[in-house]
Amino acid sequence: MTINNYHTHTLYCDGKDPMPLYVQEAELKVLGQLGFSAHAPLPFENNFAITIEQMPAYIKEIDELKAATPVTLLKSLECDFIPGRSTPFADFKQTYGLDYIIGGVHLVKPVNSDELWFIDGPKRETYDDGLEKLFNHNIQKAVTSFWEQTFEMIETQKMDIIAHVDKIKMHNQNRFFQEDERWYKVLTDKALQLIKSHNLIMEVNTRGIYKKRCDALYPSVEMLCKARKMDIPVVISSDAHQAKEIDLLFEVAYAVLRQCGYEYLMQFDPQTGTFKLQR
């Protein structure tokens, strides 16, 4: 099976390597397709997203690299959804001629507050501080806010792939809630139902494991097995922030998917501009 990675971050956002290094690594690893997916511009100052001013150079560099490699290079953005603040995903796709859009939630906006809870990043303390400050350490309320924001993203935004759908578990690490609690399973089941009804592809993301921030894939094995029964399509992604990470732990993801009954992945078709089955 051809190896593809559709979730890649370079120096244009919070990645650590320039685009040409990723292309060299993709050639070495004989990848079929490599999608660049910088964190989309946000309307406030931050240290992880590409800026609007950088977008023309980002698109131009991908187009220039395409001509010099056998790897199929694709243009994308990983768009954050923040209610009332983020740009509609479809605007980015149309403005910049992107091949596909990845949607995700990294910043949770509590109801009746303009502050944001950053659930990602290397520091568990940031997660814990936001949980205390914005949710008075009410983990069920906080986690429910994450999932409700995810539901709103699925229902209101145009995207192709949903990223690391259950990333809320990363810094929890079984400290505040367990994934088999009924209230949590109700939320994950609703997410799967919405993903199915909106014909989205679910990303199987290996980054939590190889960064040693989580002991499981995003999403969980239980979610993946349920997704298979619902015929929800998937892609495998390393969420690479360094060139050497572009295919890390794909073999682990393949094994889990086989365990859940998956026999195929999705692959981008440049001719139609859509994803199709890759058996």
Side-chain angles (χ1 to χ4, degrees):
M1 179 179 289
T2 303
I3 300 172
N4 303 310
N5 185 29
Y6 299 106
H7 193 157
T8 308
H9 298 286
T10 70
L11 292 176
Y12 281 100
C13 55
D14 60 347
K16 306 303 181 187
D17 289 328
M19 281 185 180
L21 201 56
Y22 286 86
V23 176
Q24 291 174 23
E25 189 72 12
E27 291 173 354
L28 182 66
K29 300 289 181 63
V30 198
L31 264 68
Q33 298 182 337
L34 177 64
F36 290 110
S37 56
H39 289 287
L42 288 167
F44 52 84
E45 188 173 344
N46 64 82
N47 61 2
F48 62 87
I50 190 171
T51 65
I52 286 288
E53 292 76 18
Q54 291 175 301
M55 282 301 300
Y58 175 73
I59 298 299
K60 181 181 178 183
E61 185 166 3
I62 298 173
D63 285 338
E64 290 174 346
L65 288 167
K66 279 184 179 182
T69 179
V71 180
T72 299
L73 302 183
L74 301 170
K75 293 177 284 192
S76 177
L77 288 172
E78 182 185 11
C79 298
D80 263 282
F81 176 69
I82 306 171
R85 298 182 71 174
S86 53
T87 301
F89 296 178
D91 290 1
F92 287 125
K93 190 169 187 179
Q94 181 177 3
T95 299
Y96 299 107
L98 303 178
D99 294 305
Y100 61 94
I101 291 285
I102 300 173
V105 173
H106 304 81
L107 297 148
V108 178
K109 182 182 180 300
V111 177
N112 300 322
S113 174
D114 288 329
E115 295 191 67
L116 299 173
W117 181 33
F118 186 47
I119 64 154
D120 201 359
K123 296 182 179 179
R124 191 165 69 173
E125 295 81 3
T126 302
Y127 180 98
D128 292 2
D129 289 347
L131 176 61
E132 178 63 36
K133 180 180 179 182
L134 299 178
F135 297 96
N136 196 30
H137 217 276
N138 184 330
I139 190 62
Q140 186 169 343
K141 181 179 180 181
V143 170
T144 299
S145 293
F146 165 84
W147 282 110
E148 289 180 343
Q149 190 167 314
T150 299
F151 303 157
E152 185 177 350
M153 175 181 69
I154 294 171
E155 293 178 311
T156 65
Q157 301 301 306
K158 298 284 189 181
M159 57 183 161
D160 303 277
I161 299 170
I162 185 164
H164 41 62
V165 65
D166 61 347
K167 197 164 196 177
I168 192 65
K169 72 188 180 187
M170 182 176 79
H171 285 309
N172 173 58
Q173 297 189 5
N174 298 314
R175 294 180 300 148
F176 306 125
F177 72 91
Q178 303 297 315
E179 292 176 69
D180 61 357
E181 293 180 50
R182 177 168 174 74
W183 65 268
Y184 184 80
K185 293 176 77 168
V186 167
L187 293 166
T188 57
D189 285 350
K190 182 176 179 179
L192 290 173
Q193 292 162 6
L194 288 172
I195 289 168
K196 174 64 177 179
S197 65
H198 287 78
N199 298 312
L200 297 180
I201 298 167
M202 191 163 62
E203 172 190 84
V204 180
N205 187 304
T206 64
R207 184 170 177 79
I209 301 177
Y210 70 75
K211 293 299 289 184
K212 299 187 182 346
R213 295 173 188 162
C214 188
D215 60 2
L217 298 167
Y218 315 119
S220 67
V221 173
E222 181 175 355
M223 285 190 73
L224 281 170
C225 288
K226 289 180 178 179
R228 177 63 191 94
K229 291 178 181 178
M230 298 168 70
D231 287 326
I232 292 174
V234 295
V235 294
I236 296 175
S237 157
S238 66
D239 199 347
H241 286 61
Q242 299 178 64
K244 66 182 181 180
E245 296 173 349
I246 60 172
D247 65 343
L248 281 187
L249 299 189
F250 272 36
E251 69 280 1
V252 171
Y254 289 137
V256 170
L257 286 172
R258 284 193 293 268
Q259 173 189 337
C260 292
Y262 275 96
E263 298 176 351
Y264 63 88
L265 299 172
M266 300 300 283
Q267 178 172 282
F268 189 78
D269 182 352
Q271 292 193 344
T272 63
T274 59
F275 284 85
K276 65 179 183 181
L277 292 181
Q278 176 201 15
R279 294 191 181 277

